[in-house]
Amino acid sequence: MLLPLLLPVIFLLYLRYDPKKQAPGDVDDLKVYPLVGRFPHFVKNQHRLVEWSVHVARRSPTHTTTFKVVGMPGVVLTANPDNLEHIAKTNFSNYPKGEYMLTKIEDFLGRGIFCSDGDQWLWQRKAASFEFSKRSQRKFVVDAVGSELVDHLLPLLDQAARHGRTLDMQHVFECFSFDNICRTAFGEDPACLAAADEGSTTPPEKREAIEFMRAFDYVQNAILVRFVPPESMLWRVKKALNMPPEKQIREALDTVLGYADRIVRRCKERGEADPGSRGDFLAHFAASGARELTDDNLRDVVTNFLLAGRDTTAAAMTWFFWLVSGRPDVEDKIVHEVHRFRRIHGPTGSTTFSLDELREMHYIHAAITESMRLYPPVPQGMHVSKGDDVLPDGTFVGKGWAVNHSLYAMARLEELWGKDCEEFRPERWLREDGTFQPESPFKNPVFHAGPRMCLGKEMAYIQMKSVVACAFERFSFRYLGGEEHPGMEISFLLRMKGGLPMQVTKRQPGPLEGF
Ligand code: HEM
Ligand SMILES: *[C@@H]1O[C@H](CO)[C@@H](O)[C@H](O)[C@H]1NC(C)=O
Ligand SMILES: *[C@@H]1O[C@H](CO)[C@@H](O)[C@H](O)[C@H]1NC(C)=O
């Protein structure tokens, strides 16, 4: 490892670097230094990697840049759809997630579907795909989301509107999607959202679930230090010696894994008591007999699906509500679409919408898709190359190098999306007749692409469209965070720094209300 020797060099270069002295062009040019290459630019921009990736992508004709320090594996940062197709599909077997990352999160996520490669991944993928493809599963998801909306989310918004209370909508969405994924995937309702409502008192049996959610949040963020130097070199020692922050991580992990084990146990008990009533995914998985599943495997299912399915939808909703709050024209069209359904289908007495109705909401689908294009919940992906390879644009990738793709940068390339690439324009996704027109997943890899594409895409859309349709039908939302663009938090996911403070007001009755 040459890095320790090079750190002083990097540090000196870093001190000499004064962004004010440089012409704007220089920043984009990413000057190459002896031995450390472009690495100092990366260090300099550690605090804003997501935004910086846009500059990096725009400066290269093929939107691909290599960072290479002598003696260390290189990192290729790309925003090129052809390169992505190569790593995600064409040469899939050469680009696993890689042990570098997996060993750092193993004590949290085990070797679940999200954190495994090769055969270990494949059998889990097969078993999970089978469950996700069932129509009964979709119906189950629609019903579960509907109950969460009617029982918890809409009453919470109603209360806030009535009392003029400001809500942190990011927190609300995180609680909502936590409850929702627990319900659909594990057949439990931890009711964390009810606890987010300050007016209510928390029953003791729910405190456990809230503690679990807090500990899960903590681990998810704290574990990221293992990726940042110098902690990336020290964390194993600190873990062995039970030193902070590893000590705190271990304590939080005890809470997380203990609760996940209890979810598995309760799920098995329910299954034994009433084998016919299984609706949730975990129960199906346990009973599928895809392989002799140990309780540890099932615990990994719990943590992996929570990670994959929870904050992703919450992040998507957070940016969506912020974007729409600045665009009354988009809001009007959303409300118009919802009202049209109420008119067509008449007063069915149902507060929520059916699967078929949700499917036909093309404008809302386009608006959510456009919002995720600009603010992808997973803003960057990483793969590690097993052997020497050459990407379609000619970039060399050495054995053991990382290839990262930036979704955030891809969305901001004129070449891909046109001159208005930075504009929030749902119509981009609509055909002349108003129906939704999908794009290649390599150009818009919000749910990734190829064999490891997201399994929960349809489930996520059901959830997000239900929330948007039901919430905007009844309420309007005003952003209270000021004129500036909200900050982005550095994490696996694109969270909004400081939350999303919003004022909720009841909308004037629509054409059919009280009909
Ligand atoms: C807006 C919401 C969502 C977005 C943007 C999203 C995005 C993604 C992305 C980018 C990946 C690939 C990540 C990687 O390989 O590093 C992924 C994988 C995955 N997602 Fe989602 N996801 C969402 C919701 C969900 C939901 C609701 C579920 C279901 C519980 C889910 C289940 C999964 C699973 C199981 C994988 C791993 C697939 C594999 O490795 O074979 N996702 N998702
Ligand atoms: C895939 O990667 C390997 C390196 O492990 C390389 O030898 C091979 O040529 C690549 N295959 C394709 C189709 O590019
Ligand atoms: C590549 O991705 C890894 C994992 O997300 C991250 O730690 C690293 O900073 C990324 N590098 C670049 C140059 O974006």
Side-chain angles (χ1 to χ4, degrees), residues 140 204 210 243 246 277 348:
F140 184 73
I210 291 157
M243 280 164 64
E246 291 296 327
S277 76
T348 56

Side-chain angles (χ1 to χ4, degrees), residues 97 101 113-116 121 125 128 132 181 184-185 281 304-314 316-317 368 372 376-378 380-383 405 407 445-449 451-461 463-464:
K97 294 205 167 176
M101 179 166 86
I113 185 166
F114 208 73
C115 301
S116 50
W121 162 75
R125 173 85 192 186
F132 271 80
I181 192 85
T184 45
F281 169 76
N304 279 253
F305 278 82
L306 260 177
L307 184 85
R310 176 221 170 186
D311 283 350
T312 40
T313 43
M317 285 292 89
I368 293 173
M372 290 194 295
V378 184
Q380 195 175 92
M382 177 195 173
H383 296 84
H405 63 279
L407 287 75
V446 165
F447 292 93
H448 202 51
R452 278 196 99 145
M453 193 172 167
C454 177
L455 275 172
K457 181 177 170 186
E458 212 183 332
M459 183 166 156
Y461 269 110
Q463 185 182 330
M464 296 186 295

Side-chain angles (χ1 to χ4, degrees), residues 48-60 63 78-81 319 322-323 369-380 406-424 428 443-446 485-486 488 494:
R48 51 184 288 267
L49 284 182
V50 175
E51 296 97 322
W52 178 66
S53 69
V54 181
H55 291 284
V56 179
R58 283 181 182 160
R59 65 164 280 285
S60 146
H63 316 303
T78 189
N80 181 320
W319 291 100
W322 171 72
L323 275 172
T369 306
E370 173 69 349
S371 159
M372 290 194 295
R373 180 185 73 85
L374 284 168
Y375 297 97
V378 184
Q380 195 175 92
S406 169
L407 287 75
Y408 191 83
M410 284 177 96
R412 287 159 180 77
L413 293 176
E414 285 189 5
E415 193 183 313
L416 295 183
W417 301 100
K419 284 231 173 306
D420 60 357
C421 58
E422 295 195 52
E423 201 189 311
F424 173 56
R428 202 186 296 281
K443 179 172 160 188
N444 184 54
V446 165
H485 191 286
M488 289 173 215
L494 199 62

